[in-house]
Every structure is written in structure tokens, then in C-alpha cells.
Amino acid sequence: YLQEEFNITSNPGVRFHYGVRNLSAGLDVAKALFGGATQLVIYGGSSGGVGAQVHAPFLARNLFGNNVNLFVLNDAGPVVQSLEDKDTLLARANDWALSKYIPPSLDLNLLEDQYGLEYILYRLENDSTVKEAFLGTDGDLTNRFFNGDTIGIDFRSDYRELIEYGHGEAHCAFPNRYKRFILTDDISHSLVYETFPPASESVNLPDPFFTKTADDG
């Protein structure tokens, strides 16, 4: 959220990110209410999907311990990104203060490396029970925009290759604990929200999204 007094007109180009605070507060509530839980599911959508998959599992382990079965679902948070626009990468790294969240042993260059992917691989290598999945579409208008794609280009474009490369690498390295479900020829920014109707609607649910994917891994 933004500070209440924040005004985009008087503060052009200034952004306030409180994702870590919100995440920490939410997990504190979860711990207080479900302290004896034996399994924990973390879900996030869009930028929240990136936070849920890249950062949240570490905080969850800190609070709930290593004996809890941990599942992470990232809906439409690409994690991997185009490395061509260095100015954008630097601005994002500074905005999110990324350097202070990366373990020194990873020795990552935020302008040259896929830090999100490396972060996930690091966790999978060191946390033998966590299971994770990426859900997305290969025509995602929002993610293609933020990765520099021109809206309207063919679906099987650089963006498709980007997410297949990143999440495919994680799946190949840990096939039993990392899955990716990519719906093809679709421009939606979420699989969960676009596929399932609101709970208030009295309709028959469609087939689960994972039966309609191009990739079953």
C-alpha cells in the first residue's frame, strides 16, 4: 500500500513499497491463529506472486520451522525478466532494495543474473521438502508490457521463451518439487482469477486450469 499522504502529482517517480511489512504481518497473524499447522500454502498473484515465491518461503520457515510441509503457488509473477533494459533493472533493484535480501553466497549481479530464478534454485537445493509451482499464460499482456514486449506480437514470442527457460530450468533440476503450468494463446494476467468465477455466482465450475495447459510438467 502507499502512505496516506502520498500524492503522485507532488511526488512524481516516487514509490513506497511495503511488501515485506505486509508479508511479515500476514505471516505473524497466520502463526498466531494456526501455530500448530503441519502444512502451509503460500499463494500470490502478479507482483504478489513474485513475492510469494521469491521471499515469502524464507519468512515462513523462520516462523513455522522446517518440519511444516510448505507449498508455494505463484500465479502470474514471472520471476524471470528481460535483462536488456539495464536502467529499468537498476531502478527496480533500488526500489525494492533487492541486494539486502540476497544471501551473500549467491554472489549475484542484479543487472546480469536472473536473481529470482537463482533465489528459487538456492531454496530448492537447501530446503528438501518445499514444493513450488508457477502458473501463467504465454500471452500475459501485463507481464509482456513490463518485460518490454510490444503488445500484439505473436504469443510464442520472447516472453514465452523467457518463462519456459526460467521455470523449465527449475523443473528440470527438481522435477518432483517444481512444476510449471503455462496456458497458451491466452492474454490473461492470472490463471486462478480468470478461470474460476466468484464464489457468489451459482454456476458449474469449469475444468481445473491445469487440465487446459500446454505444459503438464
Side-chain angles (χ1 to χ4, degrees):
Y1 61 84
L2 298 178
Q3 288 182 332
E4 186 174 343
E5 68 273 18
F6 177 75
N7 183 289
I8 191 64
T9 302
S10 59
N11 297 275
V14 178
R15 292 171 292 276
F16 296 88
H17 294 280
Y18 291 107
V20 173
R21 296 184 190 180
N22 292 339
L23 173 61
S24 299
L27 286 174
D28 282 343
V29 172
K31 178 65 175 178
L33 295 176
F34 310 107
T38 58
Q39 70 177 22
L40 182 65
V41 178
I42 297 176
Y43 166 87
S46 191
S47 58
V50 177
Q53 189 167 34
V54 177
H55 300 296
F58 293 101
L59 294 178
R61 283 295 191 216
N62 185 54
L63 280 177
F64 287 86
N66 294 327
N67 294 324
V68 172
N69 292 321
L70 182 60
F71 302 89
V72 181
L73 298 177
N74 169 11
D75 180 20
V79 174
V80 289
Q81 57 189 337
S82 171
L83 300 176
E84 294 182 6
D85 188 344
K86 302 302 182 184
D87 290 339
T88 297
L89 292 174
L90 183 60
R92 188 176 299 159
N94 291 333
D95 277 349
W96 297 350
L98 291 177
S99 60
K100 70 179 183 181
Y101 297 108
I102 296 176
S105 60
L106 285 181
D107 190 28
L108 294 179
N109 183 327
L110 294 176
L111 300 183
E112 302 292 339
D113 300 319
Q114 294 287 356
Y115 77 89
L117 173 61
E118 295 299 328
Y119 220 50
I120 292 169
L121 291 172
Y122 172 86
R123 179 171 57 253
L124 289 166
E125 290 171 359
N126 291 278
D127 186 336
S128 61
T129 60
V130 64
K131 295 181 178 180
E132 309 188 23
F134 165 76
L135 321 173
T137 67
D138 63 4
D140 188 319
L141 289 178
T142 302
N143 288 342
R144 285 161 54 203
F145 171 79
F146 281 109
N147 273 288
D149 269 2
T150 301
I151 302 304
I153 63 176
D154 186 73
F155 285 111
R156 294 185 177 278
S157 62
D158 291 341
Y159 178 67
R160 171 85 190 197
E161 294 178 5
L162 184 67
I163 56 177
E164 280 191 335
Y165 149 72
H167 299 285
E169 182 175 337
H171 171 68
C172 289
F174 301 92
N176 296 321
R177 295 194 291 122
Y178 195 93
K179 305 293 183 179
R180 74 271 195 258
F181 304 97
I182 303 172
L183 185 62
T184 193
D185 294 338
D186 192 290
I187 62 174
S188 304
H189 185 50
S190 166
L191 280 188
V192 174
Y193 290 129
E194 292 292 335
T195 303
F196 295 100
S200 59
E201 293 185 12
S202 179
V203 296
N204 293 323
L205 288 174
D207 292 334
F209 62 84
F210 48 80
T211 67
K212 303 178 182 178
T213 59
D215 298 301
D216 63 1

